[in-house]
Amino acid sequence: MEEKRLPEKQRDLNLDFIRGLAAFLVIAVHFMMMSEFYYQTMAGGRMYLLGCVRMAFMNCVPLFLLLSGYLCCEKKLSKGYYLGVLRVVVAYLLCSGVSVFYRWWRLGEEMSLLHAGRMVLDYSGIATGWYIEMYLGLFLLIPFLNMLWRGAESKGARKALIVTLLVLASLPVLVNVRYSILPDWWKGIYPLAYYFLGAWFRTYDTRISWGKGLLGFLAAVAAGGALVYVTSRNQMFVWTEATDWAGPTVVCSACLLFLVLRQIRLDGLPGGVKWCIAKGSELSLNIYLVSWCFDNAFYPVLWEKVPDFMARMPFFPVMTLAVYLCSAVVAQVLEWVGGWIVKGVKKPLEKLL
């Protein structure tokens, strides 16, 4: 399917909604961590349901990766393409700077300028720095991944590529839950599997009926919750890669959620709602990166006021909304500053190249 060139001011609201939702799901899955879900004994129906909720929230990063494949699968190798990384780098540096400052000012960590600089450069200054470390590598690979995608000219060859990546990255994390049965050296390439899945959805304009999509999504989430429950039954949460980003149930639920959200009719929404969706999409990366600071600012208050784990669950809307909105305010300021920096740096680089 050929890419449809749209006027610069015309936005795809569905893609904006998916990107904004992915950022919110990051904050939502952090609620599970910050409310101490992972320290509870997995026993009983309520804990199974909370395991399902956690698995639904785990679609956050996969949605971002699917979007990358969907939007970038036609990018080609050029100097101009690589200049696009400036926005990501500047966003990371600004958000990481905020995080390092918060660690020193609020958490009382000893922080020399040299130590702060090292934390920024090795991605440890911000808790979500791992995502930038992964995405920068993906960004550099995208033109070459697209060469591979175009080179696999037949639909069957492209399907074989995706299946191969899923077998390498996703199947071992399920089969090797208890014992190492399949070779799992390649399991870390799951971002490539999501990228090519997004490319498939774009290239072949993949669609699914609402009923089948939602039913499949709920079934995948329920299966993921069951996997969490079985692997952790009668003990604290056991971290397994089968219930992480590369897990087969997460792959299924993320793809189905992406396809369903891609087909939602948003044209009739009020202008103000459309603006909020577009703004949430625009700020999604910065919101993702700075939300850790507000997690650490707000949740200790919840721990003190509500010591019982189950009693914390009703506070989910309040806590996630507070973290999201405060993160959005800081994200907007950083977006303005970052925009000025990128504009100032990009022109000299364009002349140099």
Side-chain angles (χ1 to χ4, degrees):
M1 184 181 69
E2 294 295 325
E3 181 180 5
K4 295 179 180 179
R5 302 293 180 182
L6 299 176
E8 191 169 303
K9 292 185 179 180
Q10 186 175 344
R11 304 183 63 101
D12 189 319
L13 206 59
N14 290 80
L15 298 182
D16 281 343
F17 182 74
I18 293 172
R19 187 180 292 107
L21 177 64
F24 180 79
L25 289 178
V26 169
I27 293 171
V29 80
H30 286 177
F31 173 85
M32 304 303 291
M33 175 179 64
M34 301 303 292
S35 64
E36 300 185 322
F37 165 77
Y38 299 114
Y39 297 99
Q40 308 306 309
T41 300
M42 292 296 296
R46 289 192 297 179
M47 290 305 296
Y48 165 70
L49 289 175
L50 287 175
C52 292
V53 170
R54 183 256 183 190
M55 294 303 292
F57 294 161
M58 285 293 288
N59 289 284
C60 50
V61 169
L63 287 178
F64 278 126
L65 294 173
L66 289 169
L67 273 171
S68 295
Y70 191 92
L71 291 170
C72 299
C73 64
E74 296 183 359
K75 299 289 185 181
K76 295 183 179 180
L77 184 64
S78 68
K79 294 177 182 178
Y81 170 77
Y82 285 112
L83 284 176
V85 80
L86 280 174
R87 180 181 177 275
V88 178
V89 171
V90 170
Y92 166 71
L93 292 176
L94 290 174
C95 292
S96 188
V98 169
S99 177
V100 168
F101 175 78
Y102 179 84
R103 288 172 179 269
W104 168 76
W105 171 66
R106 184 76 176 182
L107 302 183
E109 295 184 16
E110 294 185 9
M111 194 71 64
S112 68
L113 287 177
L114 179 61
H115 181 57
R118 286 176 178 173
M119 292 181 74
V120 171
L121 293 176
D122 68 9
Y123 303 97
S124 64
I126 189 167
T128 48
W130 73 269
Y131 179 82
I132 295 297
E133 189 174 9
M134 177 276 294
Y135 184 76
L136 288 176
L138 179 63
F139 185 93
L140 295 175
L141 286 172
I142 280 175
F144 305 101
L145 296 177
N146 293 345
M147 291 179 190
L148 175 61
W149 187 249
R150 290 192 296 270
E153 295 180 352
S154 70
K155 190 173 184 179
R158 290 169 174 171
K159 184 182 295 184
L161 170 63
I162 292 173
V163 170
T164 300
L165 289 171
L166 291 174
V167 167
L168 290 172
S170 193
L171 190 58
V173 305
L174 177 63
V175 175
N176 297 352
V177 171
R178 292 292 186 183
Y179 305 101
S180 184
I181 299 172
L182 295 177
D184 61 2
W185 193 89
W186 290 91
K187 61 190 177 184
I189 64 171
Y190 71 89
L192 301 187
Y194 280 115
Y195 180 86
F196 283 120
L197 281 166
W200 178 280
F201 297 155
R202 172 67 176 270
T203 303
Y204 298 106
D205 195 19
T206 308
R207 297 180 181 274
I208 191 171
S209 69
W210 271 81
K212 290 181 180 179
L214 289 176
L215 185 61
F217 171 76
L218 293 174
V221 167
L227 192 57
V228 168
Y229 192 85
V230 169
T231 55
S232 307
R233 190 171 185 179
N234 295 324
Q235 57 185 321
M236 287 194 305
F237 185 90
V238 176
W239 287 93
T240 68
E241 291 170 319
T243 56
D244 213 323
W245 316 123
T249 62
V250 179
V251 173
C252 291
S253 63
C255 289
L256 291 168
L257 181 60
F258 182 92
L259 292 174
V260 169
L261 295 178
R262 186 72 188 90
Q263 297 168 201
I264 292 178
R265 298 295 299 272
L266 301 176
D267 297 340
L269 291 175
V273 176
K274 290 182 179 179
W275 180 88
C276 288
I277 292 173
K279 179 59 66 174
S281 173
E282 176 188 336
L283 301 178
S284 59
L285 179 60
N286 287 348
I287 289 173
Y288 181 3
L289 294 177
V290 303
S291 61
W292 175 85
C293 297
F294 293 102
D295 284 341
N296 284 271
F298 295 161
Y299 280 98
V301 178
L302 181 65
W303 299 339
E304 180 182 353
K305 300 295 184 181
V306 187
D308 180 68
F309 166 71
M310 281 298 178
R312 294 171 184 164
M313 294 300 101
F315 288 88
F316 169 79
V318 175
M319 299 302 295
T320 53
L321 189 60
V323 172
Y324 183 87
L325 291 177
C326 291
S327 299
V329 171
V330 175
Q332 180 62 79
V333 175
L334 296 181
E335 183 72 14
W336 286 329
V337 175
W340 297 330
I341 295 174
V342 170
K343 186 177 181 180
V345 174
K346 191 172 182 180
K347 287 184 178 180
L349 285 177
E350 287 175 337
K351 292 179 181 179
L352 182 64
L353 295 175

